[in-house]
Every structure is written in structure tokens, then in C-alpha cells.
Amino acid sequence: MSKRDFYDVLGVSRSASADEIKKAYRKLAIKYHPDKNPGDKEAEENFKEAAEAYDVLSNTEKKQRYDQFGHAGMGGGGGYGGGGFSMDDIFSQFGDIFGDGDVFGSFFGGGGGRGGSRRSVGSNIRIKLKLTLSEMKAGVEKKVKYRRMVEADGVKYGTCKQCNGQGSVRRVTNTFLGQMATSSPCPVCNGLGKMVESKPKDANEQGLISQEVETSIRIPGGVAEGMQLSMNGKGNAGPGGGSAGDLIVLIEGIEHEDLTRDGNNVLYNLWLSFPQAALGDSVEVPTLEGKVRIKIDAGTQAGKVLRLKGKGFPEINGYGTGDQLVVVNVFVPTKLNSEEKAMMEKFLNAENFKPNDKEKSFFDKMKDFFS
Ligand code: ZN
């Protein structure tokens, strides 16, 4: 039984209208929905707690009783045929709250319920996928092999003997107000209401076997390392014919030998010799789409950034494409023979070789370039 005050659970005041209570519950049910919080036990508990609170506060008679007696007032007569709160009743609410009970029907591991045919959901599978920068830029179709649980051929189901196909078990405790019954998913069949009666030798208790499968994953251009793509229904099969979980693909990057990624831009360090920078040249630069030739102006300074428009990554959720930034470095010779040394010494006091204000102010301009 929930210990928290039902009004606190839904985050409404004691004078909240029926409509406010309904809206508050909707919000929580969506927030803690298992699809949004896979494997999160706390979210699951919050979801159940909210459902229980709504069940009481949306019913005039039960609300009155709760306002008067608190949680203790919920166990006595009336309510659900003399019992307390049951999972089946949570499910029955979803139809009028969300219009489509099926959306939420897959929760609770598939509590048995009236028809004994609650759906269960298989677990998600996570795999890593390594991509080159070029693949991340252009997008790519990848075939991956992985292992997933699938229902074995020839599995036969029978009714769960523990819960008689109900999917839930009821526990009755005595209180000073009378008997209180709580209901929880059947521990034997996990709420399915049915059990594997016969199965092939190599299948597990749930009638599932591990199988290697191959699937094709379409990666859109613009993905980045650390992103996750979710493929519905490609995870493990749900026990008892339930729907499958998701395949979650984590993108990992393969390093490029020359290029690095910075957001949607590509960075390249271009090294020029001192004469190339002074005299100008035409050089080849690698991009994610092969080499391009760029012109180096005479008198190009180290630190200058040349922008190759549109050679970066496309924005994955919108318009626009990043650029390739070519950062100019000028190599200062570290070894000189006597002839070269003599030539350099000639330039030592040459006026044109001394940094002037115009060149120094160049680096102030570079600040604007990046802002
Ligand atoms: Zn059972």
C-alpha cells in the first residue's frame, strides 16, 4: 500500500477539481511511462503509485473515504468487491484516460487480468556500431549481426497454476477497519497468466532461445559519437508471445588520420613551409569527400583559418551543414646547413622580415572569425 499522500503523489491540492486531477495523472503517467524509462524501477514504482492515487481521487465515494480516513480507509468494504486495489483496475483506467488502453497495456510485465492475455515486452538489446567520419557525414546503411532471444519453435503454453491464469496474486491482511487485499503480479508467471508447458530442450524457462540475427541499420547523415538510435521491435522477444524490446545502437567513432570533428565542423591542420607561406602556393587538402586543391595567398600567416564551405557535417535535426576549417601552420626549419644558415642571416635585419603592426593585428581579426 502506498505510504505517500495521494494528493502529494499527483501534485494537486485537496481542493483540486476532477479535471485537474485527471490532467495531473495524465502528465505523470506519460512522464513515468516505461517506454521512456526502460528498466527504471523507480519510474515503474512512480507510475504505479500515480495510478493508485488517481484510482482513488477520481472516484467520488473513494475520495470521500480517503479524505476522512486516509490510506486506512481504502481497505474496508466496497471498492473492488470487498478487496483493495488490483492491477486489473489500473489497466481498466487507461481506456478513459488515454483513449487507447493498448498503449499502456504493455506495462506491468503483462498482468494476467480478465482475458488472461496481457502482453509482455521483451528487453532491449544494446550494441555498439563504429563509423568513420565519412560515414557519419554522408549517412550509411550498415548490416549488423547480434544475438537476440526469440520464441523457440514448438513451445506450448498452459494456464499458470499459481494464479489460475489471472496473472496477479492477492494477499489479504486484517486491519482494524476490516480486511485489506493487495494485488501484485504473479511471481511464477510474471503476470502472464500462462506458463510454458512444453518446450524444446535448448529453450529457456520462458520458451526463448538465443539466435544470431542480421539486420540492416540506416544511419542518417550527421550522427555523432555517443548518439543512440533505437530500432523498435528488434530487441529480445517478449515472453509468451509479447512484443519485442528495442535494439539500441550506440554510435562510436573511428579516428581519421588527418581530420578531427568539432561539432558539425571538420578541423584540419595544414603545415606550410616558410617559403610556401611567403610566396603563396596551391596545395592539396584532405576532406571527408576526398582531396581538394586550395590556393595559398602570398604572405599567409601561421594561425590563419581557411574555411571550406559545406565540407562539414549536416545538421541531423535540421537544415545547414558545417564547414571544414583549415588551420595554417608555418614550419620553422629546425636544422640548417651552413649555406641555408648564411641565407637566413641575410634576412635577419631585413625590414620586410620583421613583424609589423598590420600582421600583428591579424590575430585580433582571427578572434572575430571564430565568434
Ligand atoms: Zn501466474
Side-chain angles (χ1 to χ4, degrees):
M1 196 140 229
S2 176
K3 283 177 194 119
R4 279 178 74 202
D5 181 77
F6 284 153
Y7 290 95
D8 289 346
V9 168
L10 295 183
V12 295
S13 73
R14 292 197 165 253
S15 57
S17 69
D19 201 45
E20 284 172 316
I21 288 169
K22 190 168 175 169
K23 272 186 187 156
Y25 174 51
R26 255 191 91 109
K27 231 163 114 180
L28 289 173
I30 290 166
K31 181 179 173 188
Y32 294 122
H33 186 266
D35 283 359
K36 282 189 177 173
N37 308 278
D40 187 342
K41 283 276 169 232
E42 199 177 306
E44 188 178 320
E45 285 308 312
N46 287 335
F47 194 52
K48 288 178 184 174
E49 194 183 33
E52 194 181 353
Y54 177 73
D55 176 72
V56 170
L57 299 187
S58 61
N59 177 301
T60 316
E61 189 207 326
K62 278 188 262 179
K63 184 173 184 293
Q64 242 169 39
R65 210 142 30 93
Y66 178 74
D67 287 346
Q68 208 173 344
F69 300 110
H71 289 298
M74 294 297 97
Y80 305 106
F85 193 73
S86 93
M87 283 301 177
D88 295 353
D89 292 296
I90 297 179
F91 281 110
S92 70
Q93 291 172 352
F94 290 137
D96 70 282
I97 295 300
F98 299 98
D100 178 10
D102 210 29
V103 173
F104 282 75
S106 60
F107 191 46
F108 301 121
R114 296 170 190 87
S117 61
R118 292 277 181 230
R119 286 197 297 146
S120 60
V121 181
S123 54
N124 293 339
I125 297 173
R126 290 170 184 277
I127 60 169
K128 291 173 179 175
L129 184 62
K130 284 186 189 278
L131 298 175
T132 65
L133 290 183
S134 299
E135 289 171 334
M136 290 188 202
K137 172 175 164 64
V140 67
E141 183 131 2
K142 283 275 180 186
K143 281 207 163 79
V144 293
K145 280 184 179 168
Y146 63 100
R147 298 197 77 85
R148 66 186 288 248
M149 301 304 285
V150 297
E151 191 173 274
D153 286 333
V155 174
K156 286 198 177 67
Y157 296 97
T159 305
C160 173
K161 289 176 182 69
Q162 178 75 29
C163 64
N164 238 334
Q166 291 301 301
S168 56
V169 286
R170 186 169 279 195
R171 203 181 55 183
V172 179
T173 41
N174 291 308
T175 73
F176 70 98
L177 280 171
Q179 284 195 327
M180 286 198 314
T182 52
S183 182
S184 55
C186 171
V188 173
C189 64
N190 284 318
L192 280 173
K194 55 184 181 176
M195 296 173 76
V196 172
E197 224 169 49
S198 69
K199 62 177 182 68
K201 266 209 303 251
D202 50 352
N204 71 7
E205 303 264 286
Q206 297 171 316
L208 305 175
I209 52 165
S210 172
Q211 196 177 66
E212 185 174 67
V213 291
E214 188 179 64
T215 193
S216 195
I217 305 176
R218 171 92 204 116
I219 308 289
V223 294
E225 187 158 33
M227 282 183 179
Q228 293 187 3
L229 305 173
S230 183
M231 301 182 73
N232 289 341
K234 299 269 190 180
N236 289 318
S243 52
D246 297 338
L247 175 66
I248 295 167
V249 182
L250 174 68
I251 305 293
E252 288 192 337
I254 298 171
E255 265 184 44
H256 192 284
E257 57 178 348
D258 297 313
L259 305 171
T260 54
R261 182 174 188 159
D262 179 28
N264 282 340
N265 290 333
V266 175
L267 300 182
Y268 175 67
N269 267 321
L270 174 68
W271 282 92
L272 299 175
S273 70
F274 173 73
Q276 272 182 307
L279 301 171
D281 199 359
S282 164
V283 296
E284 264 193 350
V285 166
T287 74
L288 293 176
E289 297 156 320
K291 293 191 169 175
V292 297
R293 188 160 279 281
I294 60 171
K295 185 176 173 282
I296 303 297
D297 291 334
T300 291
Q301 299 296 336
K304 183 167 186 173
V305 179
L306 306 166
R307 191 182 281 266
L308 305 181
K309 277 266 171 209
K311 294 286 185 194
F313 295 88
E315 186 66 46
I316 193 162
N317 291 322
Y319 299 100
T321 304
D323 303 324
Q324 178 164 329
L325 306 181
V326 178
V327 182
V328 174
N329 299 273
V330 174
F331 181 70
V332 177
T334 52
K335 275 184 253 166
L336 297 172
N337 60 31
S338 55
E339 188 190 348
E340 288 159 350
K341 206 173 168 192
M343 285 165 74
M344 283 294 147
E345 276 163 356
K346 277 189 200 166
F347 297 130
L348 198 56
N349 291 312
E351 209 51 41
N352 282 335
F353 279 68
K354 290 179 184 167
N356 59 30
D357 286 345
K358 184 177 161 245
E359 279 138 17
K360 282 190 271 185
S361 75
F362 166 79
F363 287 96
D364 294 329
K365 280 186 221 143
M366 291 318 296
K367 282 182 215 151
D368 299 337
F369 185 90
F370 283 108
S371 61

